[in-house]
Amino acid sequence: MLRPLLNERVVRMEEVKTGTLYLVATPIGNLEDITYRALKTLKEVDLIAAEDTRHSLKLLNHFEIKKPLISYFEHNKTKRGEEIIKHLLEGKNIALITDAGTPGISDPGEDLVRLAIENNINVTVIPGCTASVTALVLSGLPIRRFAFEGFLPHDKNERKKYLELLIDEGRTMVFYISPHNCLDVLKEMKEILGDRKGTLCRELTKKYEEVIRGTLSEIIESLKSGNRMKGEMVLVIEGAPKKDDCEKEDWLSVSLDEHMNFYLSQGYDKKEAMKLVAKDRGITKREVYAQYMRKT
């Protein structure tokens, strides 16, 4: 009597086994950038959820992948997300792809991942292209620490408030920018954040890939000189300078004599004043002594 009951229990456990949600990165421009593992996964899953089915169908047809395809995007994510979770709970394996790059970055994929985790569904990533990291590496700016900011708010007032929150952000920042408001955003950044160094990347990995480096002013002038407002762009800009650097620049704008006189007038003796001046200007006390004594 025990054997049939055990067998029945095993069958029931298998019946409730969930499928896996695969987050599959797709090329951001050049189709040759797709990985073997991504192709294998797309061919083996039961269903593919795509941000834009018409766009993704071109990719799938190019690699002769014939699988059921459904849409999953910002405006249907609530209803369609529930449908996808239902399929996963029934044991189906589903791949989520975006128009380009890695799902979940600046798209509703993050909502589906959260929903899957809440339902104890296995989630895994098939890594590949990401426009933000590609642009970051190309920028030539410091990338040991960086902040991904994605798309800024569409509303101008909201965008201004958001940028004001980033004034003191010291890390290199990465933004996604749409072509229709690119110049406006760059001008607002220059006004609020200052004329910082940056790199604007467009048509990444494609035939006409372009990387524009310079200050925000220089990038703006470069865009004005040609018709380049096509396709989404990635902007990488340097973070805020360290406060110590700002103070150093302020002190370097005055002469060493004026700097010394400032501390002498505060009651410091020459030796202590030289020590403070050296620290402020980022030089040695011996250099301060040599320059100051040469003039006295």
Side-chain angles (χ1 to χ4, degrees):
M1 291 294 292
L2 289 175
R3 190 174 298 277
L5 288 174
L6 287 172
N7 287 341
E8 184 180 4
R9 185 181 178 188
V10 170
V11 170
R12 285 176 181 169
M13 288 177 67
E14 290 176 349
E15 287 175 349
V16 298
K17 183 179 180 181
T18 67
T20 296
L21 175 63
Y22 294 88
L23 308 177
V24 182
T26 54
I28 58 176
N30 193 322
L31 293 182
E32 294 181 6
D33 289 335
I34 198 163
T35 67
Y36 287 117
R37 188 177 172 211
L39 292 175
K40 184 175 182 291
T41 301
L42 292 173
K43 289 176 181 178
E44 293 179 351
V45 293
D46 301 298
L47 182 68
I48 299 173
E51 185 177 6
D52 184 335
T53 54
R54 292 169 300 179
H55 179 88
S56 295
L57 193 57
K58 296 176 183 178
L59 173 73
L60 298 176
N61 286 339
H62 180 83
F63 291 106
E64 299 181 348
I65 298 172
K66 307 295 181 183
K67 286 290 176 177
L69 188 65
I70 61 171
S71 65
Y72 175 78
F73 54 93
E74 185 63 34
H75 299 296
N76 77 346
K77 66 180 182 181
T78 301
K79 183 179 179 181
R80 186 51 55 82
E82 292 174 356
E83 294 175 15
I84 292 173
I85 294 299
K86 185 171 180 275
H87 287 308
L88 288 163
L89 290 172
E90 291 172 350
K92 292 181 180 177
N93 294 318
I94 299 178
L96 176 67
I97 59 177
T98 184
D99 287 352
T102 301
I105 300 178
S106 287
D107 70 32
E110 64 176 303
D111 297 280
L112 187 59
V113 171
R114 185 163 50 249
L115 197 57
I117 292 171
E118 289 172 356
N119 283 274
N120 296 315
I121 293 168
N122 184 47
V123 182
T124 190
V125 176
I126 311 301
C129 297
T130 304
S132 55
V133 174
T134 303
L136 190 64
V137 174
L138 278 172
S139 72
L141 295 170
I143 59 175
R144 189 178 69 84
R145 297 175 66 244
F146 64 91
F148 175 70
E149 297 296 337
F151 288 102
L152 290 167
H154 292 291
D155 181 78
K156 185 175 181 179
N157 290 328
E158 288 183 19
R159 194 162 62 236
K160 181 181 178 182
K161 291 177 182 177
Y162 192 92
L163 286 172
E164 287 173 346
L165 295 174
L166 301 177
I167 290 175
D168 294 323
E169 173 58 69
R171 294 171 293 181
T172 297
M173 293 173 281
V174 185
F175 301 88
Y176 285 165
I177 298 183
S178 298
H180 73 275
N181 67 350
C182 180
L183 278 175
D184 289 337
V185 170
L186 287 170
K187 290 174 182 177
E188 290 166 11
M189 284 183 169
K190 178 192 169 188
E191 179 183 346
I192 296 171
L193 303 178
D195 199 14
R196 302 186 188 181
K197 292 179 182 178
T199 299
L200 184 70
C201 301
R202 55 182 297 277
E203 301 292 330
L204 282 171
T205 76
K206 298 178 183 178
K207 183 178 180 180
Y208 297 107
E209 173 180 289
E210 183 178 22
V211 180
I212 307 172
R213 299 184 181 90
T215 62
L216 289 174
S217 294
E218 291 169 339
I219 294 172
I220 290 169
E221 286 304 311
S222 179
L223 289 176
K224 285 180 179 178
S225 64
N227 182 25
R228 302 173 181 174
M229 301 301 172
K230 293 181 180 179
E232 290 178 354
M233 307 174 189
V234 185
L235 174 68
V236 185
I237 64 172
E238 65 180 350
K242 294 179 182 178
K243 291 188 187 285
D244 288 345
D245 292 343
C246 292
E247 291 169 2
K248 179 180 175 182
E249 289 178 11
D250 291 338
W251 281 121
L252 291 177
S253 66
V254 302
S255 70
L256 190 139
D257 286 349
E258 290 173 317
H259 200 161
M260 277 290 296
N261 288 334
F262 170 79
Y263 283 117
L264 291 172
S265 66
Q266 300 294 314
Y268 292 98
D269 60 32
K270 283 186 179 181
K271 184 177 180 181
E272 192 63 27
M274 286 181 185
K275 186 186 296 185
L276 291 170
V277 168
K279 182 179 179 181
D280 290 342
R281 302 176 84 89
I283 57 179
T284 65
K285 192 168 66 172
R286 181 175 295 180
E287 290 176 280
V288 175
Y289 179 84
Q291 292 181 49
Y292 182 71
M293 295 307 291
R294 191 185 307 135
K295 297 178 181 180
T296 58

